[in-house]
Amino acid sequence: MKKRRRRSLPMEEKMKKTRKGRTRLLCALLCAALLLFSGCTRSYYGGIAEREDGDAAAYTEDILPESQDNAYGSKVTATLYYRYMAEDLLAAVEQEFTVTAEKTLEEMAIQALIDGPKDTQYEYNALISSETEIVSVKEQSGYLSVTLSSEFLDEMVQDIDGEATRRRLAVQAIVNTVTGIGNYSRVLILVDETGSGNGERLTYAEAGWEEYGDRTIEPMARDTSVILTPENALEIVLRSLVEKDYDHMEYFLADRDYDGTACPTRAELTDILSAKASIVSYSLEGPATVSPDGQRAVALVDIAYVGSNGQMTELTGLPIRLIREDVWKVSFQSLDTMFPGY
């Protein structure tokens, strides 16, 4: 049987095939490059990128983490900060949010601060007028820019000093809440006073720092000094002891100690502490040591007190236990042992 001879292609056809192959290869390389550079490279949730499609109304687009598998409807927890009672301090509250395509976690958390604490959280106070609206939330160069409506500046406290404190805590509540999510280290708050959609920077005086006058505020970092930490809770209790303000101190005493021992009633508390020596000074030895589960802490305290004989006694390194209930509170039993012989 004769072998079939391959038909030789004309030179022109060969060149056509070669050009087609090169064209396909070039298209494939271009597609790969487009896929590589058009995708979002950041992997965290809550980041915000400017839209490039010209849709001014949709000023942000959501970026979800790989850990969430881009699954909308999943649950994410954030720590919100509200004012605790009448203290000039912020208390942390955990709240769960549902991931959506429309809003970032930062925007949902800020809206929760505006809505205020839940009805059951009676010891927490809202710091922002519920009429306030979020105008925009945008990522800038290294920080998050938050523009709020003019209602943010509405007075909520009648006396001037109280209103300044309220505004300062409101700004710090937003900053600490946003930075606590972990995507941004600084936050700039703007206010749209004209309704134009464009915000202007607050002055320090408008934001509650009247001592800094009309300078405009810069992007602000997290400030833990205003958070109700174990150290701040203990500071309130020790100051109340010095001032013999037992009614105030009671709010920061744990209902029960580590072993389940109950705290005395208010009347018992007053009788017990009134019989003690008078503390004249105190100081904390560094930060408290918090247990791995975050529910207990121990702080070391130095105190000086005057006994019934009029002599001053100094004690150092006294351990004080704290228990996290809704907030950090001091164990009365460990407080009671600070006074040997009483």
Side-chain angles (χ1 to χ4, degrees):
M1 185 161 73
K2 289 184 179 180
K3 289 185 179 179
R4 182 177 296 177
R5 295 179 62 187
R6 271 190 179 172
R7 185 173 63 91
S8 296
L9 292 172
M11 183 59 67
E12 188 178 345
E13 257 184 84
K14 285 183 179 181
M15 292 179 66
K16 282 183 181 179
K17 283 203 167 187
T18 303
R19 283 197 296 269
K20 284 182 180 178
R22 287 176 180 171
T23 303
R24 290 194 187 103
L25 178 60
L26 181 60
C27 288
L29 289 172
L30 285 172
C31 289
L34 286 171
L35 287 171
L36 178 62
F37 292 109
S38 65
C40 294
T41 58
R42 283 167 286 187
S43 61
Y44 53 78
Y45 171 60
I48 303 169
E50 296 291 339
R51 294 179 69 100
E52 297 179 358
D53 56 8
D55 186 358
Y59 56 87
T60 65
E61 63 177 318
D62 216 11
I63 302 173
L64 294 174
E66 294 175 4
S67 60
Q68 294 289 339
D69 293 328
N70 291 338
Y72 297 117
S74 59
K75 304 294 183 181
V76 181
T77 300
T79 302
L80 311 180
Y81 289 93
Y82 298 107
R83 188 175 193 170
Y84 187 71
M85 301 178 63
E87 302 296 328
D88 294 344
L89 292 169
L90 301 173
V93 176
E94 297 293 314
Q95 185 161 323
E96 191 175 68
F97 298 91
T98 301
V99 175
T100 68
E102 292 77 22
K103 294 182 180 180
T104 62
L105 182 55
E106 284 82 2
E107 187 171 349
M108 289 188 286
I110 295 168
Q111 185 61 57
L113 293 178
I114 295 171
D115 295 338
K118 297 176 181 177
D119 293 338
T120 54
Q121 298 168 330
Y122 62 90
E123 294 177 325
Y124 301 87
N125 293 310
L127 289 160
I128 305 172
S129 167
S130 59
E131 301 297 318
T132 303
E133 295 182 0
I134 299 174
V135 177
S136 67
V137 178
K138 297 183 180 181
E139 184 183 70
Q140 301 294 343
S141 178
Y143 63 89
L144 189 69
S145 172
V146 178
T147 302
L148 303 173
S149 64
S150 61
E151 287 79 9
F152 178 74
L153 297 176
D154 286 354
E155 290 188 5
M156 296 177 65
V157 181
Q158 290 186 353
D159 66 281
I160 296 175
D161 291 340
E163 176 61 17
T165 300
R166 194 275 307 172
R167 288 189 184 183
R168 174 173 53 80
L169 288 174
V171 170
Q172 291 171 315
I174 294 173
V175 173
N176 284 343
T177 295
V178 169
T179 56
I181 292 172
N183 295 326
Y184 303 96
S185 60
R186 295 180 301 151
V187 181
L188 178 64
I189 298 175
L190 310 173
V191 174
D192 175 14
E193 296 193 61
T194 63
S196 64
N198 298 315
E200 294 185 1
R201 294 193 185 200
L202 296 172
T203 65
Y204 277 99
E206 288 175 323
W209 285 273
E210 295 182 336
E211 63 272 25
Y212 296 116
D214 292 332
R215 291 166 46 199
T216 54
I217 61 173
E218 299 296 325
M220 300 181 67
R222 186 174 183 81
D223 183 2
T224 58
S225 68
V226 296
I227 296 175
L228 191 53
T229 58
E231 296 82 5
N232 283 335
L234 181 54
E235 167 75 25
I236 292 171
V237 168
L238 292 172
R239 187 172 65 246
S240 298
L241 270 176
V242 171
E243 298 171 355
K244 299 187 183 300
D245 187 357
Y246 305 133
D247 288 345
H248 185 204
M249 183 179 67
E250 185 190 22
Y251 291 108
F252 294 90
L253 293 178
D255 293 336
R256 294 188 177 278
D257 204 343
Y258 291 0
D259 60 1
T261 305
C263 180
T265 64
R266 179 174 296 186
E268 292 170 339
L269 186 70
T270 301
D271 290 341
I272 294 169
L273 294 177
S274 296
K276 301 287 185 182
S278 298
I279 294 181
V280 293
S281 66
Y282 62 86
S283 62
L284 275 63
E285 292 187 3
T289 301
V290 180
S291 63
D293 63 0
Q295 299 304 304
R296 295 174 295 169
V298 175
L300 299 180
V301 177
D302 301 336
I303 65 168
Y305 67 87
V306 177
S308 55
N309 57 4
Q311 292 185 343
M312 181 178 292
T313 302
E314 294 184 356
L315 299 173
T316 60
L318 301 175
I320 303 295
R321 297 188 298 273
L322 295 100
I323 298 97
R324 187 177 182 89
E325 292 180 348
D326 289 334
V327 296
W328 285 105
K329 296 187 178 181
V330 175
S331 155
F332 175 78
Q333 284 69 31
S334 66
L335 198 67
D336 191 30
T337 59
M338 286 198 315
F339 304 92
Y342 283 84

